[in-house]
């Protein structure tokens, strides 16, 4: 998979691509990341990438021309593969695990990092782009969002994660939050590990984890539970949780 990131701030990415799972995916040759500095594709001597908005108003708008030229360089490299193109924007459709899974099937992905005040709207149809938002808050630019998207897609590429990790059901593949986890020591600063996890009783542990997953989800993200049909077991666990009231 090749992931091209078109940005006004290429320095944002130094370091972040050389750490953790993104680095491993790149080292294994499963992921190639190309940072495309939009300013390199300006044609005037000032390297102008933005301009005033038609109709007035605060803030500057990213110009179409340098973006299209930057994208055309990505296209040339991609050859026959038509990239999936995303534009980061607070106005975009919300990014989800399902969207990440769908992108994982693409061989070429290009992400244009928008900046907060926006991009000339004509860029969207010209690139055949989809606008994507990572959540309901405002970032000053899409660079951080593009790393979020890259990370979530890269870890789904077959062979990137070890079997142990990828075999595990991810939180959000199954739409409940994960139960809490603990590691050694058994007691730390007066806090102990729940006894059930030390019991060796696999059925009790399974049930405890299920209950805690439901409990967290119910208290923190009830939207993930409401309107879903639950198994009989989940239903009765959730009834117990509701009896307990607030945490
Ligand atoms: Cl993708 N971009 C910006 N600028 N702000 C955001 C966002 C993206 N997602 C949430 N807020």
């Amino acid at each position: 998979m090749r992931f091209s990131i078109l940005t006004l701030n290429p320095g944002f990415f130094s370091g972040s691509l050389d750490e953790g799972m993104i680095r491993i995916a790149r080292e294994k040759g499963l992921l190639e990341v190309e940072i495309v500095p939009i300013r390199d594709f300006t044609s005037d001597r000032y390297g102008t990438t933005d301009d005033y908005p038609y109709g007035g108003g605060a803030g500057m708008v990213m110009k179409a021309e340098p973006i299209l030229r930057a994208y055309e360089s990505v296209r040339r490299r991609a050859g026959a593969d038509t990239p999936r193109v995303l534009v980061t924007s607070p106005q975009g459709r919300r990014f989800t695990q399902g969207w990440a899974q769908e992108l994982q099937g693409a061989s070429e992905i290009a992400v244009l990092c928008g900046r907060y005040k926006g991009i000339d709207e004509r860029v969207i149809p010209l690139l055949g782009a989809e606008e994507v938002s990572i959540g309901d808050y405002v970032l000053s630019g899409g660079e951080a969002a593009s790393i979020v998207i890259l990370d979530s897609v890269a870890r789904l590429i077959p062979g990137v994660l070890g079997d142990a990790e990828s075999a595990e059901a991810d939180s959000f593949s199954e739409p409940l939050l994960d139960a809490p986890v603990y590691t050694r020591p058994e007691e730390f600063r007066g806090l102990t590990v729940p006894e059930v996890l030390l019991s060796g009783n696999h059925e009790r542990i399974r049930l405890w984890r299920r209950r805690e997953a439901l409990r967290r989800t119910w208290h923190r993200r009830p939207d993930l539970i409401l309107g879903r049909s639950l198994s009989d077991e989940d239903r009765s666990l959730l009834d117990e949780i509701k009896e307990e009231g607030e945490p």
Side-chain angles (χ1 to χ4, degrees), residues 87-90 114-116 132-142 145:
V87 175
T88 64
S89 162
R115 66 139 87 151
Y116 160 62
V132 57
S133 162
I134 62 166
D136 292 339
Y137 38 80
V138 178
L139 305 171
S140 54

Side-chain angles (χ1 to χ4, degrees), residues 70-89:
Y71 177 67
E72 278 150 13
S73 83
V74 171
R75 276 303 319 239
R76 278 194 293 278
R77 216 151 321 170
D81 294 335
T82 305
R84 284 283 299 268
V85 186
L86 303 177
V87 175
T88 64
S89 162

Side-chain angles (χ1 to χ4, degrees), residues 1 44 54 59 96 108 111 127 158 161 166 179 185 188 190-191 195 216 218 230 232 240 243-244:
M1 170 183 296
D44 67 321
Y54 277 117
T96 60
E108 281 279 343
V111 179
L127 299 188
L161 294 182
S166 50
F188 181 70
L191 299 180
E195 178 279 325
R216 280 186 163 182
W218 180 247
L230 295 178
D232 291 346
E240 290 170 25
E243 299 264 299
E244 295 164 4

Side-chain angles (χ1 to χ4, degrees), residues 3-233:
F3 209 97
S4 303
I5 300 177
L6 286 66
T7 175
L8 291 175
N9 303 112
F12 212 106
F13 299 90
S14 55
S16 54
L17 302 177
D18 297 318
E19 298 288 341
M21 189 246 2
I22 292 176
R23 170 172 125 189
I24 291 167
R26 293 173 68 213
E27 284 175 355
K28 286 183 175 173
L30 298 169
L31 171 71
E32 197 182 317
V33 184
E34 181 191 23
I35 305 301
V36 184
I38 295 169
R39 193 172 299 280
D40 290 358
F41 296 87
T42 52
S43 46
D44 67 321
R45 62 198 174 105
Y46 305 106
T48 307
T49 55
D50 57 10
D51 206 340
Y52 295 98
Y54 277 117
M60 301 291 274
V61 175
M62 287 171 71
K63 290 171 69 65
E65 169 79 19
I67 294 170
L68 264 290
R69 286 165 45 124
Y71 177 67
E72 278 150 13
S73 83
V74 171
R75 276 303 319 239
R76 278 194 293 278
R77 216 151 321 170
D81 294 335
T82 305
R84 284 283 299 268
V85 186
L86 303 177
V87 175
T88 64
S89 162
Q91 277 72 50
R93 191 156 65 86
R94 173 77 69 84
F95 191 65
T96 60
Q97 186 66 20
W99 199 345
Q101 272 156 0
E102 192 205 309
L103 291 174
Q104 185 274 306
S107 56
E108 281 279 343
I109 297 172
V111 179
L112 167 61
C113 299
R115 66 139 87 151
Y116 160 62
K117 257 305 154 197
I119 300 174
D120 188 311
E121 186 69 19
R122 292 166 292 189
V123 166
I124 308 294
L126 287 170
L127 299 188
E130 294 170 273
E131 291 174 87
V132 57
S133 162
I134 62 166
D136 292 339
Y137 38 80
V138 178
L139 305 171
S140 54
E143 283 74 15
S146 73
I147 297 175
V148 168
I149 295 166
L150 171 58
D151 187 295
S152 69
V153 175
R155 64 184 291 286
L156 299 177
I157 299 172
V160 169
L161 294 182
D163 287 343
E165 296 162 290
S166 50
E168 282 295 317
D170 274 334
S171 176
F172 285 96
S173 301
E174 193 191 7
L176 285 185
L177 305 186
D178 280 344
V181 295
Y182 300 85
T183 188
R184 289 185 287 185
E186 265 182 53
E187 193 200 314
F188 181 70
R189 304 208 176 171
L191 299 180
T192 55
V193 175
E195 178 279 325
V196 55
L197 297 177
L198 313 174
S199 70
N201 182 329
H202 297 299
E203 178 56 15
R204 271 187 69 210
I205 292 169
R206 184 193 68 78
L207 210 56
W208 181 86
R209 286 188 170 144
R210 192 74 195 170
R211 185 197 316 270
E212 294 310 307
L214 282 161
R215 189 202 310 282
R216 280 186 163 182
T217 309
W218 180 247
H219 291 307
R220 299 177 187 178
R221 294 292 308 278
D223 57 299
L224 296 176
I225 290 179
L226 292 166
R228 283 227 164 69
S229 58
L230 295 178
S231 67
D232 291 346
E233 180 180 276

